Amino acid sequence: MKKFVFATNNIHKLEEVEAIIGKKIEIFSLKDIGCVTDIPETSDTLEGNALQKARFIYEKYHKDCFADDTGLEVEALGGAPGVYSARYAGEAHNSEANMRKLLLELEGVENRKARFRTVFALILNGKEHLFEGIVNGEITKTRRGMSGFGYDPIFVPDGYTQTFAEMGDALKNKISHRAIGVQKLCKFLNTLQ
Ligand code: IMP
């Protein structure tokens, strides 16, 4: 079985990716390999940040690995917060404050179209590969639902009426940006066998 380090400290992401991948690949967390560093994400693109995190692990631990970076891109805000989604309301990475700011920015705005975009960077035998997952949807006017994380309570994917936070993990993990990105990554790995 293939083994990869998933370069994230976000327990929600780790659980989502493990649930999506199932038993096909063995995933090690940063904690599993004893990495306690807060890996820098200083790029101004999702691709750059995902690569930065994966390269950090590959260079330091010499292990096959992947990392993701995700942004919520809101059409009426010209794609913001995008790559700055985690720090939208300040350095604190506070989801409540981020959602509050976004809802405030969109007050009175009719166009609520948005998309989650995830980029996965995979480093396998020293070679880099990128995979993208996008899910289109709309920003609600109020927070709804308790599951998931981040901006989930204010995002309704196209074709659904519930927010990611209302629909629960099982459905989110079938249709999400991260699911699409991970499926592409798995498909690529399958072509190697
Ligand atoms: P990062 O990829 O960890 O840098 O995430 C960027 C921002 O997007 C953070 O505020 C996350 O909480 C948020 N985020 C990432 N993935 C998701 C998701 O699947 N649902 C909702 N918010 C997310």
Side-chain angles (χ1 to χ4, degrees):
M1 195 195 293
K2 284 205 163 48
K3 296 178 184 175
F4 289 93
V5 177
F6 182 19
T8 184
N9 281 313
N10 183 330
I11 184 74
H12 301 285
K13 282 188 181 179
L14 187 66
E15 284 171 2
E16 279 190 9
V17 168
E18 280 176 339
I20 295 163
I21 287 184
K23 304 237 173 294
K24 285 172 271 182
I25 292 168
E26 199 172 350
I27 298 176
F28 295 90
S29 66
L30 291 180
K31 203 169 145 209
D32 290 335
I33 61 165
C35 175
V36 290
T37 317
D38 200 10
I39 305 174
E41 294 177 50
T42 53
S43 171
D44 57 4
T45 63
L46 298 177
E47 287 78 1
N49 277 340
L51 279 169
Q52 193 175 10
K53 289 186 267 189
R55 283 176 187 154
F56 182 95
I57 295 305
Y58 194 78
E59 281 159 20
K60 198 157 174 209
Y61 296 91
H62 311 288
K63 289 185 188 301
D64 291 332
C65 60
F66 61 87
D68 86 319
D69 201 39
T70 299
L72 177 59
E73 300 174 342
V74 179
E75 192 173 274
L77 301 177
V83 69
Y84 305 109
S85 295
R87 288 161 280 154
Y88 192 42
E91 279 305 317
H93 293 226
N94 178 334
S95 292
E96 281 303 314
N98 287 339
M99 284 191 286
R100 203 179 314 128
K101 178 167 177 187
L102 186 57
L103 291 179
L104 213 62
E105 293 284 340
L106 290 180
E107 227 168 56
V109 176
E110 276 304 307
N111 178 6
R112 318 285 299 184
K113 281 188 198 156
R115 64 180 198 176
F116 271 114
R117 192 164 77 87
T118 290
V119 175
F120 276 90
L122 168 74
I123 304 186
L124 176 63
N125 302 323
K127 274 206 179 130
E128 296 175 350
H129 308 268
L130 292 174
F131 306 91
E132 186 186 58
I134 291 176
V135 65
N136 291 300
E138 292 203 337
I139 303 297
T140 54
K141 295 200 168 142
T142 54
R143 292 177 188 67
R144 291 178 357 220
M146 302 297 284
S147 69
F149 68 101
Y151 295 88
D152 281 347
I154 61 168
F155 182 83
V156 176
D158 283 351
Y160 296 83
T161 53
Q162 293 177 307
T163 65
F164 269 163
E166 286 176 311
M167 65 177 55
D169 297 341
L171 182 53
K172 181 189 173 192
N173 288 343
K174 275 199 189 127
I175 64 169
S176 76
H177 45 296
R178 199 162 293 106
I180 295 166
V182 169
Q183 279 152 13
K184 286 183 185 170
L185 192 152
C186 287
K187 210 168 158 190
F188 168 76
L189 293 176
N190 287 336
T191 64
L192 303 178
Q193 283 158 5

